Each structure stands twice: as C-alpha cells, then as structure tokens.
Amino acid sequence: MNEDLQMQDPLGDPKNGHILTRAIIETIHEPLIVLDEKLCVIAASQSFYTKFNVNAENTQHHLFYELGSGEWNIPALRNLLEEVIPKQSTVRDYEVSHDFKMLGKRTMLVNARSIEFENVGKKMLLSIFDITKERLVEDELKNLLHEKNILLEQKNNLLNEMRHRIANSLQLIASIILLKAGSSSSDEARKHLEDTHERIISIASVQRQLDPTGTDGTVNVAPYLKDLCANLTKSMIGGRKPITLMVYAESGSVTSDEATSLGLLTTELVINALKHAFPGGEGKITVTYTSEKDAWTLLIADDGVGYSMTEEKPSGLGTSIVDSLADQLEAKLTRESSSNGTSISLIHSIPSLA
C-alpha cells in the first residue's frame, strides 16, 4: 500500500508527514519548489505556477534548468545547487538577475536547503523571492543620494564664491574708509573711521574663513580659529609689532551661524587687546578653545597691562558687541583683569535632554 501511495504522490508516504508538507507548499505565498536528488521538480507551490506562468504538467518531473524556456539554466546557480544535496548544505539569499520570458528583467533571491524524507531519499526545498522592486528602490535612492551630494557641492561652491566676493567688497570698503581716515583733519573723526575700518576687516576675515563648512552645515572649530588668527596676525600685526598671537584649539564643530559669532567675537577681542593691552608694544595673546561632550569654552587672554592700567575701561561699542555675540551664542561671559593681563572666557553648555 505504501508503494501505491508513493506512486500517487512523489512526496512519499502520508505516514511520513507529507500531507502537511504538501499543504504548506500549496499555500505558501512565495514561489517554492521541491527537487529530487537529480534536481527534477517533484512538487511546486501554486504561487510558483502563477508567478512564472507555468502549470504542474510542464513543471513536475522536469529538470529545474529546463523549466520555461531554460530561464533557470544559469551555470553559477546550477553549480551551487548541485552542491546542496550531496553536502547537505544550505544556500542563502543567492541573488540572480535574469531576463525572464514572461516577466522581463527580474532580480531574484534564491534559498535552498537539503532535507531527507524517510524511505524516499534526499530532497531539496527551493524558495524564490522576487526583489526587483526593492533593488529598483535601492538604485533610485543611490541615484538621489548622488544627485544630493552634487547639489550640496554646488551649493557650497556658490556659498564660498559669495563669501569671497563679500569679503573682497568689504576689503574695498575698508580701504576707502582708511583713506578717508588718513585725510581727516579731526582726531575724533579719524579715530571713529579707524575703528570702523578694523571692524569691517574683522567681518571680512570671518567671511573668508567660513570656507571649511561641511556638507552637514557645520564648521570644524580648530582649523577655523587657526586660519582666522593667522589672517589677523598678517593684517593687524605683520612684522610691525613684537606681539605674538597663539591658538590652542581642540577638535569640535559648531554650526555656520555659531562659527560666525565665534569668529566675530574672537576678532573683536584680539583687536581690542592689540589696541589697549600693550602700551609698551610687546606682548602675547592666546586664543584657547576646548570642547567636551556637552559644553565648549573659548578663552582669549593677553599678558598686557590690564584694564586698570589703561585709559579705557571695559565699556563702549566693543564691549557691547562682545556682550551681544555672547548672548547669541547663549554663552556665559566672564572677564578678569589685573596688572598681569586680561582674560575673557565664554562657556557654552548644551542643555540636557533629561
């Protein structure tokens, strides 16, 4: 009787559980076929017949590679499957791209596993998952990402060009103001024009140094401050004064707006130190930036005479500018001054989300 049942059903004796196996095969959503040791089809799911427009008559008892119009006769896949049954191995997510007669260009994931039924030998379960849409979406996302990167690069190039043009225009305006200051007969007017010249130069310097903006809109603080101070040294000190300007900066990044405020604040404080801290003409200014996980600190210090020894106290337009920039950065501003020098620190703490 068992032999008669085996002839009726290629999966074998019902006592071996083939009724449940067939029920699973016939109801599974994705295409699934069962192969014998010679890779002949002995059963297939209805989803396989529907997907590839075939039927049981032209599928069962045919070699897997002969199905349809030989669409599955892919040498690499064939060699792979021929190793599954003898070695009792498993094939997982083997990707096949092929132009199928009824479906067109498709990308399939093939999974294969060797199984063994009692009294009927080894078999192979082969599942086929169509991932064509997923691959098309992935390719589209890759193309969109590539286009996005191109647009970001173009945007950064335009921004850099705009900053250079703004800086050049400011430089021209500053030069005109300096010429006016030189020809002014009023000491007070000359002083105001010179102050205006210095502040325009500081804005121009900040604009030039914003070039290192990343694709995420942030600026790496360390090279930004170093380049900014190098430019200040060149334009404000040069070889004319025995004053050194040093920068000590740790790694860290801020937004472009924050970098602008940091640059303007640093420039204002450095220029202020150059003007008032060294009546003897010699000294040192240090700019220090430290960064931690939830805070950063900017310290600008000099070894000059301090506020108490100078004519000007920490008040006026420069002080108002510094206070305003500190407010924009939401940073705590601290001033300390003595006969050994002046230090001004800003501490910005990132609010906790807890």
Side-chain angles (χ1 to χ4, degrees):
M1 181 176 178
N2 286 347
E3 293 180 359
D4 292 338
L5 288 171
Q6 288 182 34
M7 292 178 62
Q8 295 174 8
D9 196 322
L11 288 176
D13 194 333
K15 293 181 180 179
N16 294 329
H18 86 277
I19 295 177
L20 178 60
T21 304
R22 178 164 292 282
I24 294 172
I25 293 172
E26 291 177 350
T27 58
I28 195 168
H29 179 69
E30 294 302 328
L32 178 72
I33 58 177
V34 182
L35 306 177
D36 64 14
E37 296 180 73
K38 296 181 180 179
L39 301 182
C40 283
V41 179
I42 57 178
S45 66
Q46 183 58 45
S47 55
F48 179 84
Y49 297 141
T50 303
K51 180 75 176 179
F52 296 99
N53 195 31
V54 292
N55 54 42
E57 183 179 350
N58 56 28
T59 299
Q60 289 188 16
H61 310 300
H62 288 74
L63 285 170
F64 174 65
Y65 314 112
E66 296 176 353
L67 297 183
S69 56
E71 296 164 326
W72 291 100
N73 191 15
I74 303 169
L77 177 61
R78 182 170 180 169
N79 293 334
L80 196 65
L81 295 180
E82 286 173 350
E83 295 295 317
V84 172
I85 288 183
K87 293 186 178 180
Q88 295 185 338
S89 58
T90 299
V91 174
R92 294 185 183 276
D93 296 336
Y94 182 80
E95 190 167 316
V96 177
S97 293
H98 194 73
D99 193 355
F100 293 88
K101 183 177 180 181
M102 301 299 298
L103 300 176
K105 185 71 174 179
R106 285 290 186 273
T107 301
M108 306 286 187
L109 279 187
V110 177
N111 291 274
R113 182 182 179 86
S114 176
I115 57 175
E116 187 169 358
F117 290 98
E118 187 177 350
N119 301 324
V120 293
K122 295 179 179 179
K123 302 291 184 287
M124 183 195 306
L125 284 178
L126 191 68
S127 68
I128 303 163
F129 185 72
D130 190 345
I131 60 166
T132 304
K133 291 182 179 179
E134 288 83 350
R135 287 292 181 263
L136 288 174
V137 170
E138 289 177 4
D139 290 341
E140 186 174 351
L141 287 174
K142 288 179 181 177
N143 291 334
L144 288 173
L145 182 60
H146 179 65
E147 291 175 6
K148 172 194 167 187
N149 290 333
I150 292 176
L151 289 173
L152 283 173
E153 185 177 357
Q154 291 175 347
K155 182 205 76 171
N156 284 335
N157 289 337
L158 288 172
L159 282 174
N160 290 340
E161 177 66 20
M162 181 184 70
R163 291 190 186 110
H164 277 294
R165 292 192 179 193
I166 291 173
N168 290 339
S169 298
L170 290 171
Q171 190 84 38
L172 178 60
I173 294 170
S175 299
I176 294 171
I177 290 174
L178 191 60
L179 288 173
K180 290 292 184 182
S183 62
S184 175
S185 59
S186 169
D187 291 340
E188 183 179 359
R190 187 184 306 109
K191 181 179 182 301
H192 288 312
L193 287 170
E194 288 174 349
D195 286 343
T196 302
H197 166 264
E198 290 171 352
R199 289 194 170 90
I200 291 176
I201 287 295
S202 73
I203 296 172
S205 297
V206 169
Q207 285 292 323
R208 290 187 189 280
Q209 302 311 320
L210 279 174
D211 287 353
T213 304
T215 57
D216 59 351
T218 62
V219 175
N220 193 340
V221 177
Y224 170 63
L225 287 178
K226 289 177 181 177
D227 290 344
L228 178 63
C229 289
N231 192 56
L232 287 173
T233 299
K234 182 179 179 180
S235 61
M236 305 298 295
I237 301 174
R240 303 182 299 275
K241 302 176 183 177
I243 298 173
T244 57
L245 174 57
M246 305 296 295
V247 179
Y248 305 96
E250 296 179 353
S251 61
S253 60
V254 295
T255 66
S256 181
D257 287 343
E258 289 173 331
T260 301
S261 295
L262 276 174
L264 290 172
L265 197 147
T266 301
T267 303
E268 183 66 33
L269 291 174
V270 168
I271 290 176
N272 190 64
L274 289 171
K275 290 172 62 176
H276 304 295
F278 312 112
E282 183 177 355
K284 179 180 179 181
I285 304 170
T286 58
V287 176
T288 306
Y289 176 85
T290 57
S291 177
E292 298 179 359
K293 183 177 180 181
D294 56 356
W296 56 255
T297 300
L298 178 68
L299 174 66
I300 296 159
D302 64 66
D303 60 357
V305 296
Y307 290 129
S308 60
M309 298 297 292
T310 60
E311 294 182 0
E312 294 203 15
K313 301 297 187 293
S315 61
L317 179 60
T319 299
S320 298
I321 291 173
V322 170
D323 290 343
S324 176
L325 291 170
D327 289 340
Q328 288 181 23
L329 290 166
E330 297 181 351
K332 180 182 178 182
L333 179 66
T334 303
R335 293 181 174 91
E336 295 182 2
S337 186
S338 69
S339 59
N340 294 321
T342 299
S343 66
I344 298 176
S345 66
L346 289 94
I347 301 175
H348 172 77
S349 298
I350 301 172
S352 175
L353 296 177

